[in-house]
Amino acid sequence: MRLSIQLFALARDKAGRSVVPLELPDGANVADLRAALAAGVPALAPLVPVLLIAVDSEYARDEVVLRPESQVAAFPPVSGGTAGGVA
């Protein structure tokens, strides 16, 4: 199956594009997608283990099986902080 992975924030910056097309076998899961993403876009490899993967607008664990019509997005984790150093 062919999927288009939407990338956001630092993932998009590292990849140099906002969409990555991936070819995955039928029955592939999010863990398989992570492996294919790291192999297909080496600049993303260090970030792939911590990416939040959303499948059809819901965050998905690595065991979630993908379907050809799945909409997939990858987000780097967002770290908290204080605005202007004010707690």
Side-chain angles (χ1 to χ4, degrees):
M1 78 181 122
R2 188 160 183 79
L3 296 173
S4 294
I5 315 308
Q6 284 286 143
L7 303 177
F8 294 90
L10 183 60
R12 180 185 57 227
D13 295 345
K14 293 265 185 202
R17 52 193 158 158
S18 60
V19 177
V20 173
L22 287 180
E23 188 71 37
L24 296 169
D26 288 343
N29 62 21
V30 171
D32 300 322
L33 179 141
R34 286 181 189 279
L37 194 56
V41 187
L44 281 179
L47 192 57
V48 165
V50 297
L51 285 176
L52 300 172
I53 305 294
V55 177
D56 299 326
S57 300
E58 293 189 23
Y59 289 117
R61 295 180 183 266
D62 283 350
E63 307 82 43
V64 170
V65 176
L66 301 165
R67 298 179 320 271
E69 65 276 6
S70 293
Q71 294 181 350
V72 182
F75 305 85
V78 179
S79 59
T82 56
V86 178

